[in-house]
Amino acid sequence: MKKKKLKSKNQPVRTRNWEENHEHSFTHDRARHRRAQPVRSETAEDLDPLPSVFEPNGEVFSHSKKWAFVLKDGAEILCIIDERLKEQNATLLVPGDRVLVEYEEGQAIVRGVAPRLTRLSRPAGDHARVGEQIFAANLDVLLIVAAAKNPIFRPGLVDRYLIAAEQGGVDAVLCLNKIDLVEEMPEDLQLYRDLGMPVFPISCKTGAGIDPLLAHIRGKLCVLSGHSGVGKSTLLNRLDPDLDLDTQEVSQSTQRGRHTTTASRLYQLGGGTRIIDTPGIRALGLWRVDPEEVAFYFPELAAAAANCHFRNCTHTHEPDCGVKAGLDDGTVLPQRYASYLRIRASLESDENITPGRMFAL
């Protein structure tokens, strides 16, 4: 019988082109690539302590558990994440993080993460190692991407993003895509304009509204976030056709978007404009928000609450409620009040989708 020829265990390791399909490269080649790199014999306890004070010299584009793509000196390099960097109660490394990169035997290593100036986050899952799941850091603008149709416009999610943006210190902009599919704009769009929020109706298909949006974000670090299927990746392709990102149509049976982006990633668009694309979500939990605090994130409710008879008024059932009076005189809109009630109820329910408020940083 002819014996099967066995492959040598020491055959050369093929290194992928990391510029293309970086998410799949991380998933499938991580173990191979790790074996191809120098092995450090010291344990974490044996090594010198990490620098506590440093000047960041790189910016994270994307990352895996052990690896990170970092922009340093104008080039994107692949780095090992130092094993002494430990997650505390928040995600260790995210796109937009400013980091310290040092070299050891020719290998680039991330050895420090600077404090985050701003962030976009939500509570992590019940079985996660951290309490706060951070999507992106050091942001200037949160682009809340919604669709006029397919999927339908949901103002409730916009309200949650506004709370998350205020918590993270980020300016929020509403970008309404797919206006070519409707004859009239959604009614609720005007209420966000009335709140002073920048609103950009656009069509990635026709190009309508793209130039004003690009002018607004020029030179800034932005993050795209919203439901699956609203066109975040399509918008990036329209802003920079050279990216050529994968896109998918909305499911006709469920009218919900399919996940195209599976990991957050920072892209440079030229002119100093940088955008972080994030995976689409179905629901957004709020990090460390108590039910009693929700009204303060609705400016018109907070103003009306000054007229409440009771200091701890919940604006749900108490007499002499200033918010209820605002509903009667039109200073508080029914849609916004309904959104407030839904968010408050979710925080008070047994199935609280914002468990992060119970964690301490």
Side-chain angles (χ1 to χ4, degrees):
M1 174 187 270
K2 187 176 180 181
K3 291 185 178 180
K4 185 177 180 180
K5 186 177 180 181
L6 298 177
K7 293 182 179 180
S8 171
K9 293 183 178 180
N10 297 319
Q11 62 184 357
V13 175
R14 177 177 60 88
T15 302
R16 284 182 182 266
N17 179 358
W18 296 96
E19 296 293 332
E20 298 178 3
N21 297 323
H22 72 283
E23 296 165 5
H24 299 292
S25 297
F26 272 149
T27 302
H28 301 299
D29 271 9
R30 188 187 305 146
R32 278 191 187 178
H33 207 78
R34 185 165 58 244
R35 291 197 300 268
Q37 299 296 333
V39 177
R40 300 164 63 199
S41 59
E42 303 98 332
T43 64
E45 291 75 14
D46 295 331
L47 300 174
D48 294 332
L50 293 170
S52 57
V53 179
F54 58 86
E55 186 69 29
N57 59 2
E59 181 180 41
V60 175
F61 270 42
S62 187
H63 70 95
S64 177
K65 289 183 179 180
K66 303 290 184 181
W67 306 88
F69 284 117
V70 176
L71 179 68
K72 184 178 183 298
D73 300 328
E76 188 175 340
I77 60 175
L78 181 65
C79 304
I80 295 176
I81 301 173
D82 195 295
E83 58 190 2
R84 291 168 294 172
L85 288 173
K86 303 294 184 182
E87 286 180 323
Q88 300 299 320
N89 197 45
T91 310
L92 174 63
L93 212 59
V94 296
D97 269 329
R98 298 168 302 133
V99 295
L100 171 67
V101 176
E102 295 181 342
Y103 288 87
E104 182 177 315
E105 298 179 2
Q107 173 64 58
I109 305 172
V110 174
R111 288 220 163 107
V113 184
R116 290 156 178 153
L117 304 177
T118 60
R119 71 191 191 283
L120 175 66
S121 67
R122 69 176 180 183
D126 292 337
H127 304 293
R129 297 185 304 273
V130 298
E132 183 183 14
Q133 179 188 2
I134 302 178
F135 296 107
N138 302 310
L139 306 161
D140 299 308
V141 176
L142 164 62
L143 283 176
I144 306 170
V145 185
K149 187 177 180 180
N150 294 346
I152 62 171
F153 180 59
R154 293 182 173 89
L157 185 65
V158 176
D159 293 336
R160 286 180 174 272
Y161 270 119
L162 287 176
I163 296 176
E166 188 167 343
Q167 276 191 310
V170 186
D171 292 332
V173 168
L174 178 56
C175 182
L176 186 72
N177 190 21
K178 305 185 183 182
I179 60 173
D180 55 288
L181 300 181
V182 297
E183 294 183 0
E184 296 182 356
M185 296 295 176
E187 247 180 66
D188 293 321
L189 206 62
Q190 186 57 42
L191 69 88
Y192 295 108
R193 289 194 175 101
D194 294 340
L195 291 172
M197 182 181 184
V199 177
F200 292 90
I202 67 165
S203 169
C204 292
K205 183 177 181 179
T206 67
I210 295 295
D211 288 342
L213 174 63
L214 192 54
H216 185 82
I217 65 174
R218 184 167 289 120
K220 299 176 181 177
L221 175 58
C222 312
V223 59
L224 297 179
S225 202
H227 276 304
S228 299
V230 295
K232 298 186 296 297
S233 297
T234 306
L235 174 57
L236 264 173
N237 284 336
R238 173 58 83 161
L239 293 173
D240 187 350
D242 291 336
L243 293 177
D244 193 25
L245 302 178
D246 291 336
T247 61
Q248 291 193 51
E249 296 294 330
V250 171
S251 169
Q252 295 302 311
S253 58
T254 65
Q255 288 301 300
R256 289 183 172 181
R258 301 182 178 96
H259 290 290
T260 302
T261 302
T262 58
S264 297
R265 164 81 184 186
L266 189 152
Y267 297 94
Q268 294 190 93
L269 304 187
T273 304
R274 296 163 296 152
I275 293 185
I276 298 171
D277 191 15
T278 62
I281 64 171
R282 297 281 167 82
L284 177 69
L286 299 174
W287 171 249
R288 299 184 71 189
V289 177
D290 290 309
E292 296 77 16
E293 299 171 337
V294 176
F296 295 105
Y297 292 100
F298 288 74
E300 67 275 42
L301 269 70
N307 299 318
C308 291
H309 180 72
F310 299 100
R311 284 181 54 191
N312 60 345
C313 183
T314 65
H315 321 306
T316 58
H317 63 278
E318 296 88 348
D320 299 324
C321 172
V323 173
K324 292 287 188 67
L327 279 170
D328 294 335
D329 65 24
T331 56
V332 175
L333 296 178
Q335 306 97 303
R336 291 276 286 172
Y337 180 66
S339 183
Y340 160 77
L341 292 179
R342 286 194 299 270
I343 294 174
R344 185 182 177 101
S346 74
L347 295 174
E348 293 175 328
S349 69
D350 292 336
E351 298 179 356
N352 188 347
I353 64 169
T354 58
R357 66 189 178 91
M358 299 184 293
F359 290 89
L361 286 176

